[in-house]
Amino acid sequence: NDKYNAAVAKADKSFGAKDYNGAKSSYNDALAIKSSEQYPKTKITEIDKILGDMAAADDAKRKANEDARLKAIAEATAKKKAQDEAMKALNEKYNSIITKADKEFIAKKYDQARTSYTDASKLKPSEKYPKDKITAIDKAIADELAAKKRAEEEAAAAAKKAAEAEAEKQYVDLKEDTAKGPSVVTKQKQVEGTGTLKSKGKKKKTSNVVF
């Protein structure tokens, strides 16, 4: 009896501490001493149920964790696929706009090219290429304006020089005419009798015969 009671006391203590495997071992020791006792059998049956429930709970937890893991993988895969598709669409749109902008830039349609490069930069703010091309457009426009201004200044200078040369020529011609004598207009007036020179010529004879 003392050995049986000691084994049962040890088993009950392990059971209270939820050391179910230790408790089951001690209850079996008690049964080995008194195989006809029902109490150890009842506690072993209870322990088996508890262990079975725990195992089922562990299995359910493992299954839930596995399901959650697989779900997370599926969601991550779907998310990456959606991101890849979105990035692909973005790249296609970006490249299309860049191609259009490059053609406009080559054709010197700077205003249109600037708009296209700006649209591309909005799609991909981190890209350096469209920003560099906008800077190139600003420089090209500035260079064109500078060249146009130089051409206008050169044309104005050439026109002024030509006008000055023409005025100088007229002045020289006038000096030469003055040195040679009366001007052509003055001579013409003299021929017409309005100047100081008189035209010379024979007088026409008239007949005095009366019929």
Side-chain angles (χ1 to χ4, degrees):
N1 287 337
D2 290 340
K3 288 182 179 180
Y4 171 80
N5 290 333
V8 168
K10 182 180 178 182
D12 287 343
K13 185 177 181 180
S14 297
F15 185 87
K18 296 183 178 181
D19 178 11
Y20 299 116
N21 289 320
K24 185 175 181 180
S25 176
S26 295
Y27 285 127
N28 282 321
D29 290 342
L31 281 176
I33 298 170
K34 284 189 174 184
S35 60
S36 61
E37 291 292 328
Q38 184 61 36
Y39 179 74
K41 296 176 182 178
T42 301
K43 296 302 289 186
I44 289 172
T45 300
E46 186 179 350
I47 289 172
D48 287 340
K49 184 176 184 307
I50 292 172
L51 291 176
D53 291 343
M54 290 175 63
D58 287 342
D59 288 341
K61 186 176 180 179
R62 280 193 295 271
K63 184 176 184 303
N65 290 337
E66 182 65 14
D67 290 344
R69 186 182 72 84
L70 294 176
K71 182 180 179 182
I73 291 174
E75 289 176 349
T77 302
K79 183 177 180 181
K80 186 177 184 304
K81 182 179 179 182
Q83 289 175 341
D84 291 343
E85 290 176 353
M87 181 58 68
K88 180 181 178 182
L90 178 65
N91 288 335
E92 289 176 353
K93 186 174 182 181
Y94 173 82
N95 292 332
S96 176
I97 294 175
I98 288 294
T99 300
K100 178 175 176 287
D102 287 343
K103 289 179 180 179
E104 291 167 345
F105 182 82
I106 293 172
K108 296 186 177 181
K109 297 178 180 179
Y110 295 129
D111 290 339
Q112 297 177 25
R114 182 199 297 277
T115 299
S116 297
Y117 284 125
T118 300
D119 291 341
S121 187
K122 288 179 181 178
L123 287 177
K124 289 190 173 184
S126 61
E127 289 293 329
K128 188 172 180 292
Y129 181 75
K131 295 182 177 67
D132 289 343
K133 297 302 288 186
I134 290 173
T135 300
I137 288 172
D138 291 338
K139 184 178 184 303
I141 292 174
D143 290 345
E144 282 191 354
L145 291 175
K148 182 179 179 182
K149 184 177 180 181
R150 285 195 302 270
E152 290 175 349
E153 290 174 349
E154 290 172 358
K160 182 179 178 182
K161 185 175 180 181
E164 290 174 349
E166 181 63 23
E168 179 66 20
K169 181 177 180 299
Q170 292 178 1
Y171 176 72
V172 171
D173 290 344
L174 179 60
K175 285 183 66 177
E176 290 177 354
D177 289 343
T178 303
K180 291 178 180 179
S183 67
V184 176
V185 175
T186 302
K187 292 179 180 180
Q188 181 64 29
K189 290 181 179 180
Q190 292 173 348
V191 171
E192 293 174 352
T194 59
T196 56
L197 297 179
K198 294 182 180 179
S199 60
K200 297 180 181 180
K202 297 181 180 180
K203 293 181 179 181
K204 184 180 179 180
K205 294 183 180 180
T206 57
S207 176
N208 293 327
V209 181
V210 178
F211 294 98

